[in-house]
Amino acid sequence: MMNPVWKITELRQQLAVIDGKQAPDIVLKNARYLHSMLKQWIEGNIWILGDRIVYAGDKMPPLIEGTEVVDCTGKTIVPGYIEPHVHPSQLYHPQSFADFCGQFGTTTFIADNLSFALSLKNKKAFSILDDLKKLPFSFYWWTRFDSQTEMEQEEEIFSNTSILEWLERDDVVLGGELTGWPRLLHGDDQMLYRMQMAKCMGKKIEGHFPGASERTLARMKLLGADGDHEAMTVEEVERRIVQGFAVTLRHSSIRPDLPDLLKGIVEKELPIFDHLMMTTDGSTPMFHQDGVMDKCIQVALDAGVPAIDAYQMASYNVARYYNMSNLHGFIATGRFASLNILQDEWHPVPESVLSKGVWLKRNGERVLRLRKVDYSAIPEFNLDFSLSAENFQFSMPFGIEMVNDVITKPYNSTISKERQLSNHDECYLMLIDRKGKWHVNTMIKGFATDVQGLASSYSYTGDILLIGKNIDDMEKAFEEMKAMRGGIVLIEKGEVVATLPLTIGGLLYDGNVEELIEKEIALKRALTDRGYHLGDAIYSLAFLQSTHLPYIRITQKGIFDVMKNKLLLPAVML
């Protein structure tokens, strides 16, 4: 059962404003604003009480005693931007990323629940979600149906009961993303049942279909998928539109496809902007130095997309698709008072930001930081074991070669057993259970030429990654990371070169995103200086375990061949 957004007493107060018996909190007068249904700029006055627009039209309120009246003459107002596909655990966490994004006008997230599902029981995860809901920001979620890797306790973590508990929440609006869709096509009725549960509860299903053929897309549509965000060419966009998918265009740190996609759509004069959305798809912090959804809107404007369509793709289109245009993406009576005041429609970075009736930014200056959320339910990263010389045995005849930031393939290693490697791009690679029960040892090619010792508690499952050419430095990096209570540490000749502390469960930075960006820049610069030549090292670390990508992965169970669905080498007990 859906809970009402506003209590009866609040509804009566809102009516009292219309009737002239109560003054609104804020009035934006002489406003030139986007009316999303008319797809026109109109002029009028916007009355706000608490977190809600109680009226938008040409009248002024009868009573304005105590009201903050803001003259918006010469300004342009658009709905708060919506990020429809957020992975809120890319070093940052949901509250810190929301606090950062609000300054750029993005005031609503539809976010991945994976980090919560992997680290917490539902009751504790839900307590964090409920705390986040109290902030002047809008959080919505999707629920995963599988782990996206080979895990020891997958069936326990992603049980039907657990998934149903997520789906029953009002703030969970979709299921997926379907990274495990090949299993679905090969007859996995368990996943199909979970999709049907979601559909019966009115939730959307988001696909994950990179390079999918027309036949695959048609099959996935029949099975219940509603949308997809993996189109990499204009032809792939058209293919999804033809099959009836909602299409989200991606502009991320590893797939900055949006400029070319939009230029292609404009050139082909495809009349599809009403059916498109945009996302930064969980980009790492550095990518957001110059914005979030405002950045996507600017790309659209630069590509020749009509201004109203550019803004709708980051607001109304998302709200309409997720059946929440009664609350979001629309400047009209009854919606949340989440509004961006712009210089004009050609400058999407807002001068002022209202989120649920609260000023986050005024005249170019931050006026509020979102209060911190209690993440103490997430287990601390507190290792009670050390590594020994016998743990650093590397006798693998094959290893993992990086094709790009995230794609890997097997290769035959010719490196002999030695304590230090040089003059090539091969490193030792270890995945270690954070409870000290098992480890997996292999080689990695193409990560870097001169990284001596790198330790990271940031990984897909929260287990420990060690990479390097020098075993002594790898062991030193492990001990430094252990002492930090989680993070990423780079060691060379026994000395610390760079660190990025992740003290929330060993996965998340406990601080502002602005600070985090500086630390990430320093770490990535140090890695680049040591031969990391790919696009995003953070993604490389995270995706080494991800079996939704080809071709070979290092997992909790061991070295896994994704295409053959086969374990090549099991994990070894520590």
Side-chain angles (χ1 to χ4, degrees), residues 113 116-123 143-147 149-166 183 190 194 435 437 556-557:
N113 79 325
F116 289 131
L118 291 177
S119 60
L120 293 171
K121 298 293 186 182
N122 283 357
K123 185 176 181 180
T143 183
R144 295 277 188 155
F145 297 147
D146 66 286
S147 70
T149 187
E150 292 294 307
M151 291 190 68
E152 294 291 335
Q153 298 176 308
E154 171 147 357
E155 290 306 314
E156 178 183 338
I157 295 171
F158 295 93
S159 66
N160 287 341
T161 300
S162 176
I163 291 169
L164 180 60
E165 288 175 352
W166 278 91
R183 287 167 42 185
Q190 179 82 282
R194 292 167 180 177
K435 296 180 180 178
K437 294 181 178 180
Q556 289 185 349
K557 293 183 178 180

Side-chain angles (χ1 to χ4, degrees), residues 39 83 85 146 328 344 430 528 543:
K39 293 189 72 173
E83 224 304 1
H85 193 86
D146 66 286
H328 297 284
D344 55 48
M430 298 176 67
T528 300
F543 278 6

